[in-house]
Amino acid sequence: MTYIIFSEEAMKDRNTVPIIDSVLRYRETRYQIWTYCTQDPIKDILLVTPILNKPLTTSKLSNPLNAEDKETFVKPVDFRNLVIGLNEPSYEIGIPYVTISKNWGTKDRQEQETAFIGIGILSKNGFKGFIKNDDARGTQWMHDRTQRGETTFKLDENDYLTATLEKIKVNIKPIVKNVQVTFDVEITLNARINGVKTNVSEEELRKKLIKEVKKEIKTTYKEALGKDIDIYRLSEHLYRKNVKVWKKLEKDGKIPLTPSSISKLEININQLKFGRKTLTRTINE
């Protein structure tokens, strides 16, 4: 058994923890089993076969690490990560949300493929909800596991550019003042612009790209706060670095969070590379 998919019903009403316990009570069960969640019919997802006649063992669900160096929109989670996340502050864990994508097609028929588009949040007290699509994009920039990701930002009124972000390093530092805790977040990364007009300066591209990444991080954070979710596990960062303060503030493993809990969000682009620019003439008429 290489993976398990939890339906929405299995996630609700504290059903998941007993299910996890039922699976792991047998010594034959290994902790490397990948875990996913969905709102689609389980049968439909299980019947999706890999495109290009690849074996099932190389599918996205069976081996999510196979494509991790190409793009990591959602961090893979196995049973080991799941148990650790539910047993350590803030006692929450995000499980990759899988759905069926119909973007592939041939001249004969429309093909189906599985796609990760968000996460479902579990806590030791039960299910907290899904965060999907654009609302979940900020999660990929807030952990070092991301090898590569893409974001699209607005250049002007009519033009958009897509950038590939790589070598992402995240440093989250809790700042304690009296009984108040805020967090300074510093992210360093490399970026490659996929197609760019020659009349745009590098400095302008840096500013717009940084603005878009900040926007995605803040959007995900705001969406999670509305569901009482510590999406970036800020409580755990305080627990690791200042457990005395954490003990004073925590309730059920979490510290109080507000929209201003992230007091500083700094993004540094170490390298900004460009793809192939618009071709120009080599011979004048």
Side-chain angles (χ1 to χ4, degrees), residues 134-142 150-154 163 165 168 183-189 203 205-223 231-232 259 262-269:
D134 290 343
D135 289 337
R137 296 199 63 82
T139 57
Q140 60 187 327
W141 315 129
M142 287 293 288
E150 288 190 347
T151 185
T152 300
F153 59 97
K154 193 173 184 178
L165 309 184
I168 298 167
F183 296 86
D184 288 356
V185 178
E186 183 177 354
I187 302 173
T188 59
L189 52 87
E203 185 63 25
L205 288 174
R206 283 179 179 269
K207 289 181 179 180
K208 291 184 179 295
L209 180 54
I210 289 173
K211 181 180 179 181
E212 182 62 29
V213 174
K214 285 185 177 181
K215 176 185 174 184
E216 292 182 358
I217 292 172
K218 292 178 180 178
T219 297
T220 301
Y221 181 66
K222 181 180 179 181
E223 180 71 16
I231 190 69
Y232 300 136
I262 299 179
S263 57
K264 178 183 176 183
L265 179 56
E266 182 177 340
I267 299 174
N268 300 309
I269 301 177

Side-chain angles (χ1 to χ4, degrees), residues 101-118:
S101 171
K102 298 181 180 180
N103 293 333
W104 289 82
T106 67
K107 65 177 182 179
D108 299 321
R109 61 181 180 179
Q110 190 79 18
E111 296 285 352
Q112 294 183 340
E113 176 64 306
T114 53
F116 303 129
I117 64 167

Side-chain angles (χ1 to χ4, degrees), residues 178-208:
N178 299 323
V179 293
Q180 299 294 324
V181 179
T182 58
F183 296 86
D184 288 356
V185 178
E186 183 177 354
I187 302 173
T188 59
L189 52 87
N190 293 344
R192 186 178 68 250
I193 304 297
N194 303 329
V196 60
K197 293 185 176 181
T198 56
N199 60 346
V200 181
S201 68
E202 180 177 328
E203 185 63 25
E204 183 179 359
L205 288 174
R206 283 179 179 269
K207 289 181 179 180
K208 291 184 179 295

Side-chain angles (χ1 to χ4, degrees), residues 3-22:
Y3 62 85
I4 288 179
I5 304 174
F6 292 98
S7 67
E8 184 176 12
E9 287 301 315
M11 300 273 282
K12 289 180 178 179
D13 300 325
R14 301 186 181 184
N15 289 333
T16 313
V17 173
I19 292 173
I20 294 170
D21 181 65
S22 297

Side-chain angles (χ1 to χ4, degrees), residues 123-167:
S123 75
K124 66 175 184 178
N125 296 319
F127 177 57
K128 288 199 166 184
F130 298 108
I131 300 179
K132 301 181 292 182
N133 301 312
D134 290 343
D135 289 337
R137 296 199 63 82
T139 57
Q140 60 187 327
W141 315 129
M142 287 293 288
H143 59 80
D144 294 340
R145 187 69 179 265
T146 299
Q147 300 295 322
R148 177 186 296 178
E150 288 190 347
T151 185
T152 300
F153 59 97
K154 193 173 184 178
L155 189 60
D156 53 39
E157 289 298 325
N158 300 314
D159 292 326
Y160 291 82
L161 285 178
T162 297
T164 300
L165 309 184
E166 302 173 313
K167 296 185 178 179

